[in-house]
Amino acid sequence: MDQKRVAELIRELLIEIGEDPNREGLIRTPERVAKSYEFLTSGCKTSVHEITSGAIFEQDTNNMIVLRDIEVYSLCEHHMLPFFGRCHIGYVSKKKVLGVSKLARIVDCYARRLQIQERLTQQIARAIMDTLHAEGVGVVMECQHLCMMMRGVQKQNSLMNTSSVLGSFHDSVATRNEFLALISKRRVNDG
Ligand code: ZN
């Protein structure tokens, strides 16, 4: 990303919205915005292969592995405004399992780009399925979209839910129900 050019564009934007880009609080804003966009879209330059190489372990198990409440922060591609929430991932491996922190990094890899929640959910599921040649994968995501909350319909508390189920999570009702039960259990410290 050409940081200098992006900063210049943000400066233009500030002028168009009626701001004075030379006032004290805004002087370094174009550079800050350029930097933050570079980070928030850095997923485009990261590959799942990079993330997972060296972190796939052989294990003879066909138990379900579930990681709940992974934080998600992304930008909607329609308004370039944030959407954020939580993601739950489950998979049944055939022989391969993934280091647990890598699941969260796969989420970030796809979240740090311009997205729609449906596609984000599918891409995460597909990446895990393909990386592990898993028997099945399920991903459920619940997010709040600032483009809905701050503008448009201004629905402050609406939560958008999306899910993607592949392999046995798709074909077997029992497997899918086991996953849904595991992610909807109350947290231990919920009281
Ligand atoms: Zn939007």
Side-chain angles (χ1 to χ4, degrees):
M1 202 174 99
D2 183 342
Q3 295 253 355
K4 237 181 125 187
R5 176 164 155 70
V6 175
E8 192 47 48
L9 292 169
I10 297 299
R11 206 183 127 84
E12 298 284 323
L13 179 64
L14 287 171
I15 295 167
E16 284 305 318
I17 62 179
E19 272 291 355
D20 169 11
N22 295 317
R23 75 175 169 85
E24 208 191 331
L26 293 179
I27 290 216
R28 292 194 54 238
T29 296
E31 285 74 26
R32 287 193 203 99
V33 174
K35 247 193 175 163
S36 70
Y37 270 111
E38 175 139 73
F39 176 76
L40 297 174
T41 59
S42 59
C44 301
K45 291 170 213 103
T46 318
S47 78
V48 169
H49 180 74
E50 259 170 63
I51 293 170
T52 56
S53 66
I56 299 169
F57 308 102
E58 300 275 329
Q59 200 168 44
D60 230 346
T61 170
N62 59 351
N63 292 334
M64 188 176 294
I65 296 168
V66 172
L67 187 61
R68 285 177 34 159
D69 296 316
I70 305 165
E71 286 174 63
V72 182
Y73 297 96
S74 189
L75 290 173
C76 87
E77 68 182 16
H78 300 135
H79 306 93
M80 294 175 71
L81 285 171
F83 66 93
F84 59 95
R86 294 180 303 170
C87 172
H88 315 293
I89 296 175
Y91 67 91
V92 174
S93 82
K94 278 186 191 144
K95 267 201 177 342
K96 293 175 175 166
V97 296
L98 197 57
V100 102
S101 68
K102 303 298 176 182
L103 290 175
R105 289 202 56 204
I106 290 174
V107 171
D108 286 341
C109 165
Y110 288 106
R112 286 182 189 149
R113 23 184 122 182
L114 300 184
Q115 275 289 9
I116 57 172
Q117 190 180 324
E118 294 89 334
R119 185 174 63 224
L120 175 57
T121 310
Q122 282 165 17
Q123 285 175 331
I124 294 165
R126 178 48 62 192
I128 296 164
M129 189 74 175
D130 292 348
T131 303
L132 297 177
H133 307 290
E135 190 186 293
V137 175
V139 176
V140 168
M141 197 177 289
E142 34 198 26
C143 289
Q144 292 182 291
H145 292 246
L146 287 188
C147 63
M148 276 183 73
M149 297 164 73
M150 295 178 73
R151 52 163 292 290
V153 289
Q154 298 184 21
K155 292 286 177 245
Q156 312 294 324
N157 295 311
S158 58
L159 206 57
M160 183 168 166
N161 282 281
T162 48
S163 68
S164 179
V165 284
L166 301 173
S168 57
F169 281 56
H170 177 272
D171 300 334
S172 156
V173 177
T175 304
R176 190 162 61 239
N177 284 346
E178 183 186 346
F179 172 57
L180 294 175
L182 283 168
I183 65 173
S184 62
K185 255 190 201 149
R186 283 203 319 172
R187 262 152 288 174
V188 187
N189 52 7
D190 267 2

